[in-house]
Amino acid sequence: MVVVEQHDKKKSKRFALFLATCDSEFVKKAYGGYFNVFVSSFGDEGEQWDLFRVVDGDFPDEKDLDSYDGFIISGSPHDAFADADWIVKLCSLCEKLDEMKKKVLGICFGHQIITRVKGGKIGRASQGPDMGLRTITIAKDKEKLGLYFGDEVPASLAIVKCHQDQVLELPDSATVLASSEVCQVEMFSIGDHFLCIQGHPEYNKEILFEIVDRVLNMKLMEQEFADKAKSTMETAQPDKDLWQKLCKNFLKGQI
């Protein structure tokens, strides 16, 4: 476990990242690892952030869960519907967090894991893999998002997408918060404690391009597909500030 802590006079909020992917050489060199990408995106002064590399079997003790204010489950190249030991253990942990009504932000793989835990269905996206900058449409019923955005809820948001699986059937208890032409469930919530996003609010152009190049070099995609993914960010950028506001306010109850 890695800990980042900044002390102040008050008891600091405490969060944990469940990292479900390995750090690429690029991410280690450019950012010091994905953990730093998440903390720089969603962390604030005076907070403690802990890293658990769940992909390597590193999990918190159950007795320590109540000491956390919130959790993030990262993306992953692994299938959320698979039954590897660490994935099954992560599902069990999410069930416990659900019982405790702990705040959990699920991103991409994490979005799908929570779907699985709550009884929904996940699988390969019918339209195939999706990589690049995409615009998703916020649901017309904006009451839920108004709790996190405040008075100005955007009609749409740009986000980096990088996935081949998606939610096929929502859990009964879920509320869809955003959709797109190629994915009906881009974002959903369950109660006030689960917020799930198919895209990557923590990604930027640099990270996306490195993933595209790496997958291309592994011969897992065609050059034309890679070029199209990169072209989406030639003149546009994700709505990083708005995604940070949404995710921070959800995790920390700042509104």
Side-chain angles (χ1 to χ4, degrees):
M1 182 184 75
V2 175
V3 177
V4 172
E5 186 172 6
Q6 295 169 312
H7 296 282
D8 63 9
K9 294 181 180 179
K10 298 185 295 182
K11 183 181 182 295
S12 64
K13 286 184 176 290
R14 189 183 186 193
F15 301 94
L17 171 65
F18 297 152
L19 191 63
T21 187
C22 297
D23 293 323
S24 68
E25 290 303 316
F26 165 77
V27 167
K28 285 192 283 189
K29 182 177 180 180
Y31 303 101
Y34 278 120
F35 179 58
N36 291 337
V37 174
F38 278 93
V39 175
S40 65
S41 295
F42 308 125
D44 287 304
E45 288 289 332
E47 297 174 349
Q48 177 179 327
W49 283 78
D50 300 340
L51 168 63
F52 295 94
R53 295 184 182 274
V54 294
V55 69
D56 294 328
D58 179 26
F59 287 83
D61 290 333
E62 189 171 305
K63 63 180 176 59
D64 294 331
L65 295 178
D66 197 46
S67 66
Y68 288 94
D69 295 280
F71 303 83
I72 298 177
I73 307 172
S74 80
S76 176
H78 299 274
D79 296 325
F81 51 78
D83 290 322
D85 289 347
W86 71 270
I87 294 176
V88 173
K89 187 171 182 178
L90 179 59
C91 288
S92 296
L93 181 59
C94 286
E95 290 175 352
K96 179 64 177 177
L97 295 175
D98 186 28
E99 292 173 5
M100 299 172 71
K101 296 295 184 286
K102 284 291 185 179
K103 296 265 188 175
V104 182
L105 174 63
I107 294 175
C108 198
F109 171 85
H111 162 95
Q112 296 161 16
I113 283 288
I114 290 174
T115 300
R116 172 180 175 174
V117 166
K118 295 298 292 180
K121 183 179 179 181
I122 50 179
R124 291 285 187 259
S126 60
Q127 79 283 356
D130 191 15
M131 296 184 76
L133 187 69
R134 303 286 184 252
T135 297
I136 67 174
T137 302
I138 302 302
K140 292 182 180 179
D141 180 6
K142 300 176 181 178
E143 182 178 351
K144 171 76 73 171
L145 289 176
L147 297 174
Y148 309 130
F149 281 117
D151 294 334
E152 296 294 329
V153 179
S156 62
L157 287 169
I159 191 168
V160 175
K161 301 283 294 296
C162 184
H163 66 103
Q164 65 176 352
D165 300 334
Q166 67 182 37
V167 175
L168 302 178
E169 294 179 12
L170 266 180
D172 291 338
S173 54
T175 300
V176 176
L177 299 178
S179 60
S180 69
E181 293 181 356
V182 297
C183 182
Q184 290 299 306
V185 186
E186 292 282 5
M187 178 165 58
F188 72 88
S189 64
I190 295 177
D192 294 323
H193 62 293
F194 282 169
L195 178 66
C196 304
I197 302 168
Q198 179 59 74
H200 286 270
E202 81 283 11
Y203 276 10
N204 56 27
K205 178 179 179 180
E206 193 177 38
I207 291 175
L208 173 67
F209 279 27
E210 189 274 333
I211 292 174
V212 170
D213 288 342
R214 181 155 38 91
V215 175
L216 181 64
N217 290 336
M218 295 168 65
K219 302 188 184 303
L220 296 177
M221 72 167 63
E222 299 295 330
Q223 184 68 56
E224 181 180 5
F225 186 89
D227 292 342
K228 284 183 178 180
K230 288 185 175 182
S231 70
T232 63
M233 296 196 73
E234 286 179 354
T235 59
Q237 295 292 329
D239 290 311
K240 189 94 173 177
D241 290 346
L242 287 173
W243 282 112
Q244 287 180 339
K245 182 177 184 179
L246 169 63
C247 294
K248 283 186 175 184
N249 285 340
F250 163 73
L251 283 170
K252 306 169 191 187
Q254 294 174 178
I255 288 182

